[in-house]
């Protein structure tokens, strides 16, 4: 087979599908991209066997057929070619010959028939979601996912689907983020899907490309069954396996009673926390003390070298002084996930849980557990 295509036409597709391919692979085929041309439609696929990303490019010249070639090498070649280059790829036995103007490369190929595709026959549910709404939903929650936790079900985001609503929840056991959005799906009972961490990162890339700001009205098709989730956007498709496990019960902790409410300027709060956090880099848990006192919030820390940092934010508060320890990065991440000018801090008192909310927003909540310092 052979294909002839312009650099500007193939490069965006290569950037999208190559992101799923891991740098180091025990199976050589997983280092390759799959190319298939059928009547002028070129499909490009990348996979790690747990997730697959593909994009089709229309009006491509060439002969029908398929091949696989090294992801890194082919992408590097296309990237380094001059702008407006025309690229020819021709398969010759076990090699792919890539030519453009005076440049010529001969790359090793592997049999296209051996390329592992994720095949799903039946999708049980289907819904449409707005690209911008899904991006905002994940932006408010995905930062709280665990990283390589032995409790594998925490290494991802829970999608909880019910009548006309999609809720996203993430927790690493020390913090929790929850938000929801309206959907067109009408379910009689709640459905839960745990999306793996890597897939969540790729979904954020999938819906947050260079043209995202100009496509706020674009809708994605979301399909699901017990083991898989599929997103389709124009000519792009992302399919991922789901985590087979039970997400921990999280609703009980949100039912705690919070007697103290403090409104604080969000950016001022982030600024104070960030300045104090400079001295927590050597801390194993980045611990700081949050002191709520009359007229303001004082944040302090002392590191292993007995160095100290202190900052202050004005708030309206006249109750008894409270001192609570927190991971400073957890507070910063939650505050940055918001968009409002002010943010609400709901507290139980000394050594208590902190819940952040945006004024007037009942759909989103961020919870941070206290820590001993």
């Amino acid at each position: 087979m052979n294909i002839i295509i312009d650099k500007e036409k193939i490069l965006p597709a290569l950037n999208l599908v190559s992101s799923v391919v891991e740098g180091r692979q025990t199976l050589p085929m997983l280092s390759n991209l799959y190319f298939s041309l059928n009547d002028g439609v070129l499909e490009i696929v990348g996979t790690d066997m747990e997730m697959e990303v593909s994009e089709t490019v229309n009006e491509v010249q060439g002969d029908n057929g398929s091949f696989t070639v090294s992801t890194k090498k082919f992408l590097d070649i296309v990237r380094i070619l001059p702008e407006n280059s025309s690229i020819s790829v021709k398969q010759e036995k076990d090699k792919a010959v890539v030519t453009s103007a005076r440049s010529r490369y001969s790359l090793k190929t592997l049999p296209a028939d051996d390329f592992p595709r994720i095949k799903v026959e039946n999708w049980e549910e289907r819904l449409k979601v707005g690209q911008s709404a899904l991006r905002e939903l994940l932006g408010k929650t995905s930062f709280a996912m665990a990283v390589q936790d032995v409790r594998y079900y925490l290494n991802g985001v829970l999608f909880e689907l019910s009548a006309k609503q999609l809720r996203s929840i993430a927790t690493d056991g020390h913090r929790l983020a929850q938000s929801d959005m309206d959907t067109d799906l009408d379910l009689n009972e709640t459905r839960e899907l745990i999306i793996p961490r890597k897939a969540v990162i790729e979904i954020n890339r999938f819906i947050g490309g260079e043209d995202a700001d100009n496509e706020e009205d674009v809708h994605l098709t979301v399909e699901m069954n017990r083991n898989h989730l599929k997103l389709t956007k124009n000519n792009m498709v992302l399919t991922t396996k789901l985590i087979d496990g039970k997400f921990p019960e999280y609703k009980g902790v949100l039912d705690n009673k919070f007697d103290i409410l403090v409104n604080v300027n969000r950016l001022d709060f982030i600024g104070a926390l960030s300045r104090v956090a400079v001295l927590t880099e050597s801390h194993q848990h980045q611990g700081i003390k949050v002191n709520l006192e009359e007229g303001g919030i004082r944040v302090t820390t002392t590191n292993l070298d007995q160095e100290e940092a202190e900052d202050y934010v004005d708030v309206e508060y006249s109750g008894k002084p409270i001192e609570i320890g927190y991971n400073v990065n957890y507070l910063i991440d939650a505050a940055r996930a918001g968009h409002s000018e002010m943010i609400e801090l709901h507290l139980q008192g000394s050594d208590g849980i902190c819940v952040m909310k945006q004024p007037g927003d009942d759909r989103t909540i961020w919870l941070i557990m206290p820590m001993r310092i």
Side-chain angles (χ1 to χ4, degrees):
M1 70 163 292
N2 71 289
I3 59 175
I4 301 172
I5 191 169
D6 292 336
K7 171 180 176 176
E8 283 69 27
K9 202 169 186 178
I10 195 173
L11 185 56
L14 291 176
N15 286 331
L16 176 74
V17 303
S18 64
S19 62
V20 72
V21 179
E22 298 285 356
R24 295 182 180 180
Q25 292 286 357
T26 54
L27 187 64
M29 180 62 83
L30 295 181
S31 297
N32 283 16
L33 292 179
Y34 172 88
F35 294 80
S36 176
L37 185 65
N38 185 20
D39 295 337
V41 179
L42 177 65
E43 182 183 27
I44 308 173
V45 185
T47 186
D48 63 359
M49 295 186 72
E50 297 294 318
M51 176 171 46
E52 176 183 295
V53 179
S54 67
E55 183 168 359
T56 55
V57 183
N58 298 319
E59 299 179 358
V60 177
Q61 299 179 39
D63 301 322
N64 291 353
S66 57
F67 68 93
T68 77
V69 70
S70 165
T71 302
K72 184 179 186 310
K73 293 173 184 175
F74 190 74
L75 180 59
D76 286 348
I77 289 169
V78 174
R79 281 176 173 169
I80 205 167
L81 289 173
E83 299 300 318
N84 303 314
S85 293
S86 178
I87 302 167
S88 171
V89 184
K90 185 176 182 180
Q91 188 174 19
E92 297 180 356
K93 296 183 179 180
D94 64 343
K95 297 291 177 65
V97 179
V98 183
T99 57
S100 180
R102 297 182 179 181
S103 301
R104 183 181 184 277
Y105 304 85
S106 180
L107 304 178
K108 180 182 177 181
T109 64
L110 292 173
D113 290 342
D114 295 340
F115 190 83
R117 301 295 301 269
I118 296 179
K119 297 180 180 179
V120 183
E121 295 183 356
N122 298 312
W123 297 105
E124 299 170 2
E125 305 289 354
R126 180 181 288 107
L127 69 149
K128 294 277 190 178
V129 296
Q131 171 178 272
S132 58
L134 183 59
R135 185 167 62 244
E136 182 177 355
L137 183 73
L138 289 175
K140 289 178 177 178
T141 57
S142 61
F143 66 88
M145 292 183 293
V147 181
Q148 296 182 336
D149 198 297
V150 294
R151 298 164 294 180
Y152 60 94
Y153 45 80
L154 297 184
N155 300 316
V157 167
L158 174 69
F159 272 10
E160 191 177 83
L161 292 126
S162 57
K164 303 294 186 179
Q165 187 180 80
L166 167 59
R167 173 169 289 169
S168 175
I169 306 101
T171 180
D172 61 7
H174 304 287
R175 57 178 169 174
L176 181 144
Q178 172 186 295
S179 190
D180 60 61
M181 60 179 281
D182 296 328
T183 72
D184 61 359
L185 189 61
D186 194 3
L187 292 176
N188 294 325
E189 57 183 27
T190 300
R191 180 162 198 159
E192 295 185 350
L193 315 170
I194 305 178
I195 305 171
R197 179 182 178 85
K198 181 179 177 182
V200 173
I201 293 171
E202 288 302 320
I203 290 171
N204 275 315
R205 192 193 312 273
F206 190 81
I207 60 179
E210 295 178 0
D211 59 350
D213 291 336
N214 298 321
E215 291 190 326
E216 294 301 321
D217 58 343
V218 168
H219 278 70
L220 312 172
T221 300
V222 181
E223 297 168 278
M224 67 202 76
N225 60 25
R226 181 178 178 182
N227 299 311
H228 297 87
L229 178 77
K230 177 181 175 183
L231 272 69
T232 304
K233 171 188 172 184
N234 300 327
N235 295 330
M236 300 173 286
V237 179
L238 184 152
T239 306
T240 180
K241 294 181 180 179
L242 300 172
I243 293 177
D244 183 13
K246 179 65 177 177
F247 202 77
E249 171 57 42
Y250 65 91
K251 296 178 182 177
V253 70
L254 299 178
D255 293 334
N256 282 285
K257 186 177 181 180
F258 300 93
D259 299 320
I260 301 168
L261 169 61
V262 178
N263 285 280
V264 59
N265 183 281
R266 189 176 65 88
L267 295 181
D268 288 348
F269 190 47
I270 292 172
L273 293 171
S274 300
R275 289 187 289 271
V276 170
V278 171
L279 292 190
T280 69
E281 294 178 359
S282 60
H283 287 202
Q284 184 178 359
H285 301 292
Q286 289 81 44
I288 66 164
K289 291 181 179 180
V290 175
N291 296 271
L292 181 59
E293 52 194 55
E294 185 172 354
I297 297 175
R298 189 180 307 277
V299 288
T300 62
T301 191
T302 302
N303 63 20
L304 297 177
D305 295 324
Q306 299 302 308
E307 298 169 326
E308 299 177 354
E310 177 182 306
D311 217 303
Y312 191 86
V313 184
D314 292 323
V315 298
E316 292 185 8
Y317 179 72
S318 58
K320 64 178 183 179
I322 294 173
E323 180 179 273
I324 317 173
Y326 293 109
N327 181 310
V328 65
N329 289 329
Y330 291 176
L331 293 173
I332 292 173
D333 288 345
R336 282 179 174 166
H339 303 289
S340 58
E341 178 183 0
M342 305 297 290
I343 199 160
E344 296 176 355
L345 303 182
H346 298 256
L347 303 167
Q348 293 178 314
S350 295
D351 298 326
I353 298 169
C354 173
V355 163
M356 285 193 200
K357 293 182 179 181
Q358 297 185 110
D361 180 5
D362 294 328
R363 313 192 78 163
T364 304
I365 185 170
W366 301 289
L367 181 148
I368 302 96
M369 299 297 291
M371 62 182 295
R372 294 187 178 276
I373 300 177

